[in-house]
Amino acid sequence: MQYNTIEKAGIKVSNLSFGCMSLTDSSTGNDALIGKAIDAGITLFDTADLYEKGENEKLLGKAIKGRRKDVAISTKAGNRWRSDGSGWDWCPEKKYILKAADESLKRLQTDYIDIYLLHGGTVDDPSDDVIEAFERLKEQGKIRSYGISSIRPNVIRKYVSEYDIAAVMTQYSLLDRRPEEETLPLLQENNIAVLARGTVAGGLLAGKPAADYLDTDAKEISAIINKINTMLPNRDFTEKAYRYVMDSPAITTAVAGIRTAAHLQQALMAADATILAVQERQMLRDIWEGNKYVQQR
């Protein structure tokens, strides 16, 4: 396992992180699975108050009890469940974020959150209020650092230019190379950590049958997958997908959605594989021209 540092927070994290979203409270073996990940060297576990109406945070808190000093936690706020449970509404309000943080701390059974992220956002949000809430939480010792979870370049640019955020979570993979156009260079230039989600593109880069993905139809996805499969035959198919993300100089950690022991093992094998050589990475880049942002530029 390799490790990187979230420079603006002084937090050391593994280049592979555990995305807890796929775990459910009814799943068996969550504690053992998370424990195995910690034993293997994974240090960052990602969740959100939105997932299963907070139950995801609860199961993570339960699983890491007694091992809190060994891990870092990232969680998110900004989406408020309706009282009738019919869905959620976007609520980037200072008062709500302060309340949401306290509730997350209780569910996680911890005194502090390592990385607290705004779970989405638009350029029209009251961003000053959001940052005021984050700063207050930081002053109170309830969070160690903060940032945003977004795929929107215009939102990311706004927060980078106007605030001292420590991290951005964004979607990035061999099938979603949009961040390469402007987001990743911007974040690297400003020394902001990047937590990359969607590394295996919803399973398409981990063995699932080809299907439409973003603005690319299933036929083209199939052709891209076949090329990835035949390229660099000395490397496992999914290993190539993970390493392409992990070995980007802008990426701090790849957040893998893990639900089973097999998912964990597959991700760990990729994390322990040798770094892609410059030529190998370029060969994977050359498979297709990549996609670009159409909206929220």
Side-chain angles (χ1 to χ4, degrees):
M1 189 76 66
Q2 290 117 24
Y3 296 87
N4 297 309
T5 301
I6 299 176
E7 296 293 344
K8 292 188 177 183
I11 300 171
K12 187 177 179 181
V13 297
S14 48
N15 66 339
L16 172 69
S17 299
F18 193 120
C20 298
M21 185 177 71
S22 298
L23 299 178
T24 65
D25 191 46
S26 60
S27 300
T28 59
N30 288 333
D31 291 3
L33 187 63
I34 289 172
K36 185 176 180 180
I38 297 172
D39 292 340
I42 292 178
T43 62
L44 179 62
F45 292 78
D46 177 72
T47 181
D49 62 1
L50 181 67
Y51 305 157
E52 290 210 355
K53 302 178 181 179
E55 293 301 314
N56 199 261
E57 287 181 325
K58 284 184 181 180
L59 72 83
L60 176 59
K62 175 177 174 290
I64 64 172
K65 198 168 184 178
R67 305 193 71 174
R68 179 66 178 94
K69 63 180 177 59
D70 299 325
V71 303
I73 297 171
S74 65
T75 191
K76 316 175 194 75
N79 295 290
R80 179 169 57 189
W81 280 98
R82 299 178 193 133
S83 57
D84 63 2
S86 62
W88 63 85
D89 298 307
W90 180 234
C91 188
E93 298 173 2
K94 180 178 178 179
K95 183 178 179 180
Y96 174 69
I97 291 172
L98 293 173
K99 180 175 181 287
D102 285 337
E103 292 174 349
S104 287
L105 288 168
K106 290 177 184 177
R107 287 190 290 264
L108 289 163
Q109 301 182 57
T110 186
D111 295 327
Y112 66 95
I113 294 162
D114 297 275
I115 310 164
Y116 201 40
L117 303 173
L118 182 67
H119 202 174
T122 72
V123 291
D124 298 321
D125 292 338
S127 53
D128 285 347
D129 289 348
V130 171
I131 297 301
E132 284 179 16
F134 285 162
E135 283 291 343
R136 181 181 296 183
L137 291 167
K138 191 173 179 181
E139 289 169 4
Q140 294 172 338
K142 295 178 179 179
I143 66 173
R144 293 180 65 189
S145 65
Y146 58 80
I148 62 171
S149 177
S150 179
I151 62 169
R152 301 180 178 214
N154 58 358
V155 173
I156 293 172
R157 279 196 302 272
K158 178 180 177 66
Y159 277 87
V160 170
S161 65
E162 298 182 17
Y163 310 108
D164 191 28
I165 60 173
V168 169
M169 176 175 283
T170 198
Q171 183 166 292
Y172 180 48
S173 74
L174 267 170
L175 295 182
D176 185 4
R177 288 172 45 197
R178 293 175 298 175
E180 294 177 355
E181 184 185 1
E182 52 183 285
T183 302
L184 295 187
L186 175 68
L187 295 173
Q188 186 178 13
E189 179 184 342
N190 285 274
N191 202 28
I192 295 170
V194 181
L195 286 57
R197 63 175 179 83
T199 308
V200 294
L204 292 173
L205 295 173
K208 280 190 175 181
D212 293 352
Y213 188 68
L214 300 176
D215 296 323
T216 308
D217 63 34
K219 184 177 180 180
E220 186 174 355
I221 291 292
S222 179
I224 296 169
I225 287 173
N226 286 338
K227 289 179 181 178
I228 295 171
N229 212 8
T230 56
M231 192 71 66
L232 308 178
N234 59 315
R235 290 184 180 268
D236 177 76
F237 172 65
T238 303
E239 174 191 320
K240 287 177 273 192
Y242 272 111
R243 293 307 322 186
Y244 183 81
V245 173
M246 290 174 175
D247 296 337
S248 166
I251 300 301
T252 307
T253 185
V255 183
I258 295 170
R259 182 172 49 84
T260 67
H263 292 159
L264 176 60
Q265 185 60 32
Q266 187 178 51
L268 288 172
M269 288 179 64
D272 290 334
T274 56
I275 294 172
L276 286 175
V278 174
Q279 297 89 339
E280 289 180 312
R281 183 172 174 78
Q282 189 59 50
M283 290 169 71
L284 292 172
R285 282 177 57 85
D286 290 342
I287 286 174
W288 74 304
E289 63 181 6
N291 44 0
K292 294 187 177 182
Y293 288 106
V294 176
Q295 298 177 326
Q296 293 91 37
R297 294 185 63 87

